[in-house]
Amino acid sequence: MLADARRVVVLTGAGVSAESKIPTFRDAMEGLWASFDPQSLATPEGFAADPETVTRWYDFRRMKCREAEPNPGHLALARIERELESRSRDFILLTQNVDGLHRRAGNRSVVELHGSLEVWRCVETGQEFRDLPAPFDTYPPRTDRGTMLRPGVVWFGEMLPPEAIETAGERLDACDLFFSIGTSATVYPAAGFSDLARAAGAKTVEINPDATPASRHVDESVRARAGAVLPQIVELAFGAGNASPRGGNG
Ligand code: OAD
């Protein structure tokens, strides 16, 4: 299916980063953070009440992601983009992950549906800042004018970026092959993406070691780890090749 596809959409979730040892949202709440609840760390209200603690937690997660490396699953997805691009076929990767590993692996056509730990923005102007030093030296971090920065991630109760949703909808409407990889398929709107792809006439494939609510509806449910099976799928579709990142920033 991948070898023949013309317009491919891939949705990824935390499972793709599991093999890079990125702590999931829940895992990141252990140790020092075990006494906090998600409402206090991942909501606008939690940030308003205690910006110091919230930004410390996101900075801790940002540093964990910087320490992590893309795994064979990420690298295989980067090769899929390269192979399809070289055949003038469409590819887009929609991710719920905020860890930036897809871009570091070499993917360029990436929509970060839930934002990124590497993007912080001014709470007053919305101006975005990237490549900030880690760790910050004050919490919350501030702009030169002294205004607070917040992490550029989507918190519970917040809308996803409208342009991300629009792009996702357009590409799903036109796709002929859809992969759902490493996501529990329970958080909307991403949970509805495989239905949208199917409605557009696409073949649908899930890669996940466990069953999810999407498993019964997809054309192929591949019960395996992304890092184990994606390199095999890519090799079957495109032959043995170079899986190394292209010009990633390491
Ligand atoms: P979840 O933690 O809900 O689901 C991760 C999925 O990955 C599970 O279905 C696992 O079975 C699967 N998995 C684990 N290891 C895997 C591997 N090696 N290869 C493939 N799959 C594997 O994560 P998400 O679906 O990403 O939202 O969760 C979606 C959103 O819910 C998150 O982005 C976050 C969370 O609340 C926000 O923060 C807004």
Side-chain angles (χ1 to χ4, degrees), residues 13-15 18-19 96 114 154 156 182-184 187 207-210 224-226:
E19 291 161 77
Q96 300 168 92
H114 292 172
V154 176
F156 296 111
T183 172
S184 56
V187 178
I207 299 175
N208 196 314
D210 295 326
R225 289 184 296 108

Side-chain angles (χ1 to χ4, degrees), residues 153-214:
V153 300
V154 176
W155 279 328
F156 296 111
E158 290 187 321
M159 304 251 298
L160 271 62
E163 58 286 358
I165 289 303
E166 196 177 323
T167 304
E170 286 168 7
R171 302 299 280 269
L172 286 161
D173 270 350
C175 76
D176 61 2
L177 179 60
F178 173 78
F179 287 93
S180 174
I181 310 174
T183 172
S184 56
T186 49
V187 178
Y188 277 85
F193 286 178
S194 72
D195 290 337
L196 291 175
R198 200 172 41 256
K203 293 280 186 206
T204 53
V205 180
E206 175 176 68
I207 299 175
N208 196 314
D210 295 326
T212 76

